[in-house]
Amino acid sequence: MSQDSPRAKSRMVSVDDIGVRRQLADGSEESVTWAELSAVVVRVIPEGPWNEDVFLMLAGANGTGTAVPSGDPAADALIERLQSLPGFDNDKFVEAMTTDADEAYVVWKAAETN
């Protein structure tokens, strides 16, 4: 098997009851748990139509996090889960998903616990 095979470049995103994990092509992993999730940002980069241009960025309270391309096979399950978060701004999410502006849209933030 050559170094350039699709398997060598593959990555995987999983969404479950614990959180979101993204396995990168180099073997490293990014993750965030639902318990530590502090913000959800939709980042639009005008690279389309041939390159991935919308990313779901999940930030954890302890500096962890991951960015999931909206075209990833796990994105639908992730979006469904994110839309169930209390206070999720669905109107801003729809705006972000339908624009080509080079912008970041904060669609959810964890409630302050002071």
Side-chain angles (χ1 to χ4, degrees), residues 21 41 70:
R21 285 178 307 288
V41 176
S70 65

Side-chain angles (χ1 to χ4, degrees), residues 2 4 18 25 32 41 56 61-62 78 100:
S2 80
D4 295 327
I18 296 170
V32 63
V41 176
L56 305 167
N62 61 2
L78 175 58
D100 59 3

